[in-house]
Amino acid sequence: MKKWTKEIEINAPIEQVWKFLDGSVENMQQIMPQVVEQKPIKITEEVVGSVYRQKYREGKRIEEYDIETLEYSNATNEKKLKVGFTLAKMFEITALYELNKINDNKTSFTYTVTNRPLKWFVKLFLLFATDKSGSRIFRTCQKCS
């Protein structure tokens, strides 16, 4: 399994950063432009357990997979969203987004992704994997300031 974690401070209120993760598809596309569509499949009252069908552009192909909300917290000073999905029946991926309010205009943002291969031969690909998507999120969130 491969795991990446990055943390930055963003010069923006926690709610402004949160809307990119827990808002509209249009907001999500600002940090993840490859997301073409996201539709609810199953929505739970507590959010955890909710499932969304997401279409994601990978080059010229469009991949489709179901994303499940594994953790969710939307408190005033602390917010957390963890989602998980299986990609191409080869990888089990989780993404954890954690926001902590530093003050009214500054937010700590931590991004952790795990990538677990489901087939033995796919483990070789993880040797060359990068945190490209995490870096994109950080660049976009820095523009929130």
Side-chain angles (χ1 to χ4, degrees):
M1 179 169 74
K2 190 106 174 179
K3 180 177 180 178
W4 299 272
T5 298
K6 291 209 176 192
E7 184 177 348
I8 62 168
E9 287 185 6
I10 301 169
N11 292 319
I14 193 169
E15 292 298 335
Q16 187 176 347
V17 179
W18 185 238
K19 73 178 183 179
F20 289 104
L21 302 169
D22 191 41
S24 69
V25 174
E26 291 78 19
N27 283 345
M28 182 190 304
Q29 287 172 327
Q30 290 185 46
I31 60 171
M32 295 179 256
Q34 294 89 345
V35 174
V36 175
E37 181 179 276
Q38 181 165 297
K39 291 184 179 180
I41 300 298
K42 173 185 158 190
I43 302 297
T44 65
E45 276 187 46
E46 58 280 350
V47 183
V48 173
S50 295
V51 178
Y52 296 86
R53 172 110 356 109
Q54 190 175 87
K55 290 185 180 179
Y56 185 90
R57 183 179 313 280
E58 189 63 46
K60 293 182 180 184
R61 291 189 336 252
I62 293 183
E63 298 284 338
E64 185 175 282
Y65 44 87
D66 292 346
I67 296 179
E68 181 178 1
T69 304
L70 304 172
E71 291 180 42
Y72 184 87
S73 173
N74 188 1
T76 303
N77 296 324
E78 191 175 277
K79 300 178 185 301
K80 183 187 289 188
L81 174 64
K82 182 176 184 179
V83 296
F85 61 97
T86 300
L87 183 61
K89 298 180 184 175
M90 294 185 147
F91 298 98
E92 185 176 274
I93 298 170
T94 65
L96 172 62
Y97 309 97
E98 297 174 283
L99 302 176
N100 290 290
K101 181 178 179 177
I102 296 171
N103 60 42
D104 287 344
N105 294 306
K106 191 173 276 197
T107 303
S108 170
F109 176 52
T110 305
Y111 170 80
T112 303
V113 65
T114 62
N115 190 333
R116 187 173 69 88
L118 299 176
K119 305 201 186 277
W120 68 267
F121 58 89
V122 179
K123 290 180 182 181
L124 296 172
F125 292 114
L126 285 185
L127 295 173
F128 306 105
T130 67
D131 62 347
K132 180 174 69 171
S133 60
S135 297
R136 183 180 324 103
I137 290 170
F138 283 105
R139 284 193 306 274
T140 304
C141 285
Q142 286 173 325
K143 295 176 189 174
C144 293
S145 318

